[in-house]
Amino acid sequence: MVAQLVRPGATARAGDVRRDPASGTADLAAMEGVDAVICLSGASVGEGRWTAERKKVLRSSRVDLTRVLVDSLGRLKQKPRVFVAASAVGYYGNRGDEILTESSAAGNGFIAQLARDWETESMRAEAAGIRTVILRFAVILSPKGGALARMVLPFKLGAGGRLGSGKQWMSWVALDDVVEIIRTAIADERMRGPVNVAAPGPVQNAEFTRVLAKVLHRPAIFPAPPFALRIALGEMADGLLLASQRVIPEKLRAAGYKFRFENLEGALRAILGGKT
């Protein structure tokens, strides 16, 4: 049975676990005996400029919420077998052409620091005796919206193009693979610590743009210069759109994981089929 952790005021189903991050409380009795806990919380980093207030929301929804959850798990008499927690490839910061594996050092900047602090809270579960897997997600390509929907819209309007120089590396992963990797993290006892959730074929932004335009049958002739992105988005432009992360899923390869989508064009055609 799958149960959800629900906040005060939210509708709960039979078996769901109530918790209140604000007060740091949770229904511990309802959590006793669970096999695995998956925490994918976090307000969207792509919604709105990174004002001081927005940064507080991004941090609280990740770092503070995870701290409360891990504290609760540590107080259980019968702890879960595994804790699977979210993070992001933003952990590595802006790294140019450097090939990044799970053993690569953390980078600099707001997102990198946020990811470091987030992972620190998650790894406290390992210290409590719970096998902990931290999934560093690349850009997740989904037919249900998210980052891909925001990428597609300018192309549909005939205004698509590369971002900045287009030389920055983009790491991506299809939603189907994300779901299967979470299942793998739960089932495979060898998996622990940080895991790069990224397809083995990262591409530069210019190539991503070319392939997306091809799949959508739209032109890609309107590049967005860095100064325009910075005026429009502020710090987010450098932190998300212009940062270069050439991420390789070394641990997943070692574990023998077979990606359903390794090729960007094949992934985009499958995801956007019938939607163009």
Side-chain angles (χ1 to χ4, degrees), residues 102-152:
E102 290 87 351
S103 61
S104 298
N108 299 311
F110 169 66
I111 288 294
Q113 183 65 56
L114 179 61
R116 285 201 300 275
D117 293 345
W118 194 9
E119 292 189 11
T120 296
E121 293 299 335
S122 296
M123 286 305 296
R124 291 171 54 239
E126 184 79 36
I130 305 168
R131 180 171 65 88
T132 301
V133 186
I134 296 177
L135 303 179
R136 290 177 180 162
F137 291 112
V139 174
I140 298 174
L141 304 182
S142 166
K144 298 182 179 180
L148 184 58
R150 292 193 289 271
M151 295 177 198
V152 166

Side-chain angles (χ1 to χ4, degrees), residues 16 33 136 154 202 211 220 227 260:
D16 284 349
R136 290 177 180 162
V211 174
F227 77 88
R260 179 173 179 183

Side-chain angles (χ1 to χ4, degrees), residues 87-103:
S87 184
V89 297
Y91 172 92
Y92 301 111
N94 183 9
R95 304 291 277 271
D97 292 332
E98 181 182 355
I99 294 175
L100 303 168
T101 69
E102 290 87 351
S103 61

Side-chain angles (χ1 to χ4, degrees), residues 38-82:
I38 305 168
C39 182
L40 306 177
S41 65
S44 173
V45 295
E47 297 291 339
R49 293 172 70 96
W50 291 349
T51 62
E53 190 61 33
R54 183 60 181 172
K55 286 182 177 181
K56 289 181 181 178
V57 171
L58 297 176
R59 182 176 180 84
S60 177
S61 65
R62 289 167 171 77
V63 180
D64 297 346
L65 189 148
T66 300
R67 180 184 303 119
V68 170
L69 178 57
V70 172
D71 283 346
S72 298
L73 296 180
R75 292 197 297 270
L76 294 176
K77 296 177 182 177
Q78 185 179 347
K79 297 179 177 62
R81 180 175 54 83
V82 60

